[in-house]
Amino acid sequence: RKGPSGYGWVFPSVDGKIRIGVGVIQPDTDASPRKLLDAVVNNEKLLKRFGLELEGPPKVHSGILPSVPYDDELVFGNVIRVGDSANFATPTLGEGIRICIELGWDLGEQLGRSVKTGRAGPLKAYERKARRQLKRSYKWGFLVNSRMASFTPQHWNASVRRMNSVGSEPVTAMMRNEFSNQKIARMSWN
């Protein structure tokens, strides 16, 4: 089965188990990741083809990764949006742990200053830093993701050929959701 506008994986774990997963990107699709996963784990013929044998009831972990434009309002009095709730997952790959760690360190320092001084200024400084760091790249990453979500297999084949011709550096930057002014200009030209 294929996940529309999504991805799937099978990974072994150190305790001799396997992890099977399916992810979809919303609002690109309304498909249920649980139904897609059930179609895999309940398909004995498919599992056998891959040499997999499932024993006992599966443990299920799930969640939704929204694909929405970056919203730069993070601080609301004593409530601060972080991680997925702040849409730190990159729109190109959904990878956000690197950003969460980097901005998390800064938020920790600014929270300490805010508690020490009783002022909201340090938290607003954190919000401004996140905006400077993420807004442009997330805007362009969202545009790239929106376009890729509409790709047919033919589009993907042509896109992979183009990626091969431009080299690894620009492709890696796109995957990391790093869109400098120079990269945006080059992307627009192409």
Side-chain angles (χ1 to χ4, degrees):
R1 289 247 168 175
K2 64 180 183 178
S5 188
Y7 50 94
W9 64 90
V10 177
F11 290 114
S13 65
V14 293
D15 57 358
K17 297 179 181 175
I18 59 170
R19 299 185 187 275
I20 301 174
V22 174
V24 297
I25 301 171
Q26 292 187 349
D28 298 347
T29 182
D30 287 331
S32 163
R34 180 57 200 232
K35 287 181 182 175
L36 293 167
L37 180 62
D38 286 346
V40 171
V41 298
N42 295 324
N43 185 333
E44 290 182 30
K45 187 177 176 182
L46 176 69
L47 293 173
K48 187 175 181 179
R49 189 172 100 207
F50 288 107
L52 301 174
E53 190 175 312
L54 302 182
E55 297 176 2
K59 293 182 181 176
V60 177
H61 304 272
S62 63
I64 294 172
L65 181 63
S67 177
V68 295
Y70 179 66
D71 179 353
D72 57 10
E73 291 186 71
L74 302 175
V75 178
F76 302 87
N78 290 334
V79 176
I80 304 166
R81 293 189 310 126
V82 297
D84 287 351
S85 72
N87 196 25
F88 284 172
T90 62
T92 49
L93 290 182
E95 179 271 331
I97 191 68
R98 169 177 52 88
I99 291 144
C100 291
I101 290 170
E102 182 181 331
L103 288 173
W105 280 108
D106 189 57
L107 176 57
E109 289 176 10
Q110 299 297 7
L111 273 170
R113 287 186 184 112
S114 184
V115 168
K116 215 179 222 184
T117 64
R119 298 176 157 290
L123 298 179
K124 288 298 183 180
Y126 158 76
E127 188 176 58
R128 285 189 304 275
K129 178 181 180 178
R131 180 181 304 127
R132 279 191 312 273
Q133 182 175 330
L134 303 176
K135 191 161 186 157
R136 177 188 57 231
S137 287
Y138 273 53
K139 174 186 174 185
W140 284 91
F142 181 71
L143 292 171
V144 167
N145 177 57
S146 298
R147 182 165 182 191
M148 290 187 330
S150 68
F151 277 10
T152 64
Q154 294 79 15
H155 287 114
W156 276 111
N157 291 338
S159 184
V160 169
R161 282 191 298 275
R162 275 193 307 275
M163 285 184 217
N164 190 41
S165 70
V166 299
S168 62
E169 192 274 327
V171 173
T172 303
M174 182 194 69
M175 300 280 190
R176 289 178 55 100
N177 203 69
E178 295 170 347
F179 296 98
S180 66
N181 287 334
Q182 183 182 15
K183 286 182 180 111
I184 291 167
R186 190 176 302 142
M187 202 169 61
S188 298
W189 177 261
N190 291 328

